[in-house]
Amino acid sequence: MQLIKVLHGRPSPEQLAALIAVIQARTAATAATAAAVPRKPPVSAWTNRAAAIALRRRSLPRSARHISTPM
């Protein structure tokens, strides 16, 4: 299984080790940031007022949509 492929040149083992260390550090930082951000619970379709309004506007005839649009 090949994780990293060198396309040009011949990097030394130290250069590859430094590259892998940077990639691992960035991956760990990204995972830590994602874990620290609290996630909102999904909004129920029953309580999502914006979706209900959008659905209602799509079901009205064009002339009624024009009249019902707030100014």
Side-chain angles (χ1 to χ4, degrees):
M1 182 168 158
Q2 187 177 16
L3 298 177
I4 297 176
K5 182 177 181 179
V6 177
L7 298 177
H8 299 285
R10 293 180 178 259
S12 66
E14 293 83 15
Q15 290 173 328
L16 284 177
L19 175 65
I20 291 171
V22 169
I23 292 172
Q24 286 178 339
R26 296 275 313 250
T27 303
T30 303
T33 303
V37 174
R39 296 182 183 203
K40 291 183 182 178
V43 177
S44 168
W46 291 101
T47 60
N48 187 352
R49 182 135 173 88
I53 292 171
L55 179 64
R56 185 174 51 188
R57 286 189 58 156
R58 274 187 270 135
S59 64
L60 295 174
R62 185 178 178 138
S63 59
R65 275 186 271 160
H66 178 68
I67 294 170
S68 66
T69 304
M71 296 196 164

